[in-house]
Amino acid sequence: MNQNNSLTMFEKEPIVKLMLKFALPAIASMVVNSIYNIVDQIFIGQGVGILGNAATNLTFPLVTIAMAIGTMIADGCVAYFSLKLGQRNYDEATRTMGNGITISLLAGLFMAALMELLLQPILNLCGGRSVDPQTFEYATEYARITLIGIPFVCVSMTVNSIIRAQGSPRYAMFSNIAGCITNIILDAWFVLGLEWGVAGAAWATIIGQVLNFILAVTYIPRLKGIQFKLEYAVPRIKTIFSFLPLGISSFFTQFGNTIVVICMNNLIVTYGAASIYGPDIPLAAQGIVMKVNSIIISVMVGLGIGSQPIVGYNYGAKNFRRVKETYLKTIIIGLAVGVVGWACFQFFTQPIINLFGQESDLYNQYALKCFHIFLAVIFLTGFVIPSGIFFQSIGKPTKAMVCTLTRQIVYFLPSAFILGHIMGIEGLLYAGPLGDILAAITVGILAAGEICILNRDIKQLDT
């Protein structure tokens, strides 16, 4: 297979230019994926109310579980794909893409079927036992519909990741944005116009996801420099187990988020019931904060994913100086964007809360505390998250996994249990900044060690 000249841009073009070309569309795509759930919650808040918002928070772990599997396949696939392009092994790169698509489809179908069978126990596990019966009914209705979209989401995630890494990030962005705009328009029509409630929001989401899927898959024949054949879609164990480990960090990022949401839902319901707020107000408010925060998280993930093909290609080609430069510039941009996001959450809090509906004074009081305390040092994710993706990009999944586990599982959850026991419902909020600070320290140690290794490799190449 002939090398496409467009791939040499990873070696020759200025890093900042490449980052703008790949990171901006990746960020847009990731943010759009987050907006799917946020838009639903906005319209549900306006058309249904606080119980509807609490219901979508109950179902959120279903989304994050599906995203954990889908992201592991997509990110592992694109990391291995980029490394093989850097090594000029185009046959294995194309086979990786085909296997990634097949595994994404099979995983999506399996998850949708399994969650449908276990829906009631899963919702109970997520805190549904103690909420208002109407909230549980809304959650069941919303989940049964949105589960249909999981296979479409998994496949489109993998295909769009390949499209970005292969040199067409703008089309991947267009595919995601088209689905999101469709979702927004249909949300307004179905929820507010036709008054279909949570079911209307769910159907709007499904239609947007299907459109995204169609646009992504139909682009496959137009990919540059590779010739995709159906035989590449036949699963091959060696290929699958070559790329899946590279996505393990992304899996733990999303799966860790699932564990966090499930545990937080149960802690919120428990401590909320013992407070003046009751269980439903904190559940709804925390859900809004987590989903709005997901925009910043998505920007950081998109920034890391956007730099992934640059890092992966140059690491495979042993251009270590460009690898180091890309990583450092990614971190600087991530921290700068994080500060902007932090300022918005701290100084424009009430207008953000109002987007999700006007509720009681108690609701506004708790929602303000959520934003101001829980997101107090959110800018640190601009360093932690891109660092995890960087380790993934250079084929070091263990370090990538450590970056993820320390942030969510090792530090945040224990802090939530301890501070919740000591301070009640407000203690859960302080666990957020404490976990972020401890994670940043840990990742800083790993990053410093990797920079030393890169400096050594650069010196060896120069001599």
Side-chain angles (χ1 to χ4, degrees):
M1 188 175 294
N2 294 326
Q3 175 185 1
N4 189 286
N5 291 331
S6 66
L7 298 177
T8 62
M9 64 182 171
F10 292 121
E11 296 178 290
K12 300 183 181 299
E13 289 192 10
I15 295 296
V16 173
K17 181 179 178 180
L18 282 173
M19 290 183 67
L20 288 174
K21 180 176 182 178
F22 284 88
L24 290 180
I27 289 170
S29 297
M30 294 302 300
V31 170
V32 164
N33 285 332
S34 294
I35 288 175
Y36 270 110
N37 286 298
I38 293 174
V39 167
D40 280 358
Q41 191 144 7
I42 290 175
F43 283 101
I44 287 172
Q46 298 290 342
V48 179
I50 187 172
L51 297 184
N53 276 335
T56 58
N57 195 29
L58 277 183
T59 65
F60 194 51
L62 299 175
V63 176
T64 56
I65 291 171
M67 290 290 288
I69 302 296
T71 305
M72 177 179 69
I73 297 170
D75 288 1
C77 179
V78 75
Y80 194 64
F81 178 84
S82 296
L83 287 170
K84 290 304 161 183
L85 287 183
Q87 296 168 2
R88 275 67 171 176
N89 189 345
Y90 304 111
D91 184 71
E92 182 63 14
T94 310
R95 189 178 299 279
T96 299
M97 179 182 73
N99 276 223
I101 294 171
T102 300
I103 297 302
S104 295
L105 176 60
L106 294 176
L109 292 171
F110 175 77
M111 285 187 290
L114 184 63
M115 289 179 186
E116 173 63 31
L117 291 173
L118 301 177
L119 183 58
Q120 299 297 318
I122 291 174
L123 292 179
N124 281 326
L125 179 65
C126 296
R129 289 188 181 91
S130 304
V131 299
D132 187 287
Q134 185 63 62
T135 300
F136 195 87
E137 183 179 336
Y138 284 148
T140 302
E141 182 181 19
Y142 184 80
R144 289 199 186 282
I145 299 171
T146 53
L147 288 176
I148 300 171
I150 290 179
F152 298 101
V153 171
C154 289
V155 173
S156 60
M157 285 175 63
T158 297
V159 177
N160 276 321
S161 294
I162 292 293
I163 292 173
R164 278 193 299 269
Q166 193 271 343
S168 304
R170 292 181 182 176
Y171 185 86
M173 177 181 66
F174 162 74
S175 172
N176 280 285
I177 290 178
C180 182
I181 292 175
T182 300
N183 183 29
I184 293 172
I185 294 172
L186 294 181
D187 260 328
W189 183 22
F190 292 168
V191 179
L192 301 182
L194 300 178
E195 298 183 353
W196 287 359
V198 295
W203 283 116
T205 298
I206 294 297
I207 295 172
Q209 291 168 342
V210 171
L211 176 61
N212 184 0
F213 165 82
I214 293 172
L215 291 173
V217 171
T218 55
Y219 190 81
I220 291 176
R222 298 162 57 189
L223 290 170
K224 307 170 190 173
I226 60 175
Q227 297 175 358
F228 181 73
K229 302 175 184 177
L230 287 178
E231 64 187 70
Y232 289 122
V234 177
R236 191 172 75 170
I237 298 300
K238 180 180 177 181
T239 300
I240 293 171
F241 281 94
S242 293
F243 72 74
L244 279 184
L246 298 181
I248 199 70
S249 171
S250 297
F251 170 79
F252 279 110
T253 297
Q254 292 292 341
F255 187 71
N257 189 36
T258 302
I259 300 300
V260 167
V261 172
I262 291 174
C263 292
M264 281 294 288
N265 281 357
N266 283 279
L267 290 172
I268 286 169
V269 168
T270 299
Y271 291 116
S275 72
I276 60 173
Y277 305 109
D280 290 296
I281 285 177
L283 189 63
Q286 186 71 30
I288 289 172
V289 170
M290 294 292 282
K291 289 182 180 178
V292 171
N293 180 39
S294 71
I295 294 180
I296 295 298
I297 300 299
S298 295
V299 171
M300 303 313 175
V301 172
L303 184 61
I305 289 175
S307 66
Q308 188 176 59
I310 308 170
V311 170
Y313 186 97
N314 283 286
Y315 196 83
K318 300 186 183 303
N319 295 326
F320 299 118
R321 195 181 301 277
R322 286 175 69 81
V323 172
K324 176 184 174 182
E325 181 184 354
T326 303
Y327 173 62
L328 294 178
K329 288 181 177 178
T330 300
I331 296 306
I332 292 171
I333 296 171
L335 289 171
V337 173
V339 170
V340 174
W342 170 84
C344 291
F345 294 152
Q346 296 297 317
F347 301 114
F348 301 97
T349 317
Q350 193 60 56
I352 295 174
I353 294 172
N354 291 343
L355 286 174
F356 298 87
Q358 301 290 329
E359 299 292 345
S360 65
D361 290 338
L362 277 178
Y363 172 82
N364 284 324
Q365 178 184 335
Y366 187 81
L368 285 168
K369 287 183 178 181
C370 278
F371 274 96
H372 292 162
I373 299 173
F374 194 79
L375 304 181
V377 292
I378 188 61
F379 53 85
L380 291 178
T381 58
F383 167 59
V384 174
I385 293 177
S387 294
I389 297 174
F390 167 75
F391 286 121
Q392 178 178 287
S393 302
I394 61 175
K396 298 187 177 181
T398 301
K399 289 185 177 180
M401 185 171 60
V402 170
C403 291
T404 299
L405 289 179
T406 52
R407 178 174 177 264
Q408 295 179 304
I409 304 298
V410 177
Y411 296 134
F412 173 73
L413 276 186
S415 299
F417 279 101
I418 294 170
L419 295 179
H421 180 72
I422 296 172
M423 303 171 62
I425 191 70
E426 291 190 8
L428 303 180
L429 304 181
Y430 285 98
L434 179 59
D436 285 337
I437 291 171
L438 294 175
I441 294 172
T442 303
V443 173
I445 295 171
L446 291 177
E450 195 61 39
I451 291 296
C452 290
I453 294 173
L454 286 174
N455 287 336
R456 182 199 64 194
D457 292 338
I458 292 170
K459 186 176 180 180
Q460 288 177 349
L461 289 175
D462 290 342
T463 56

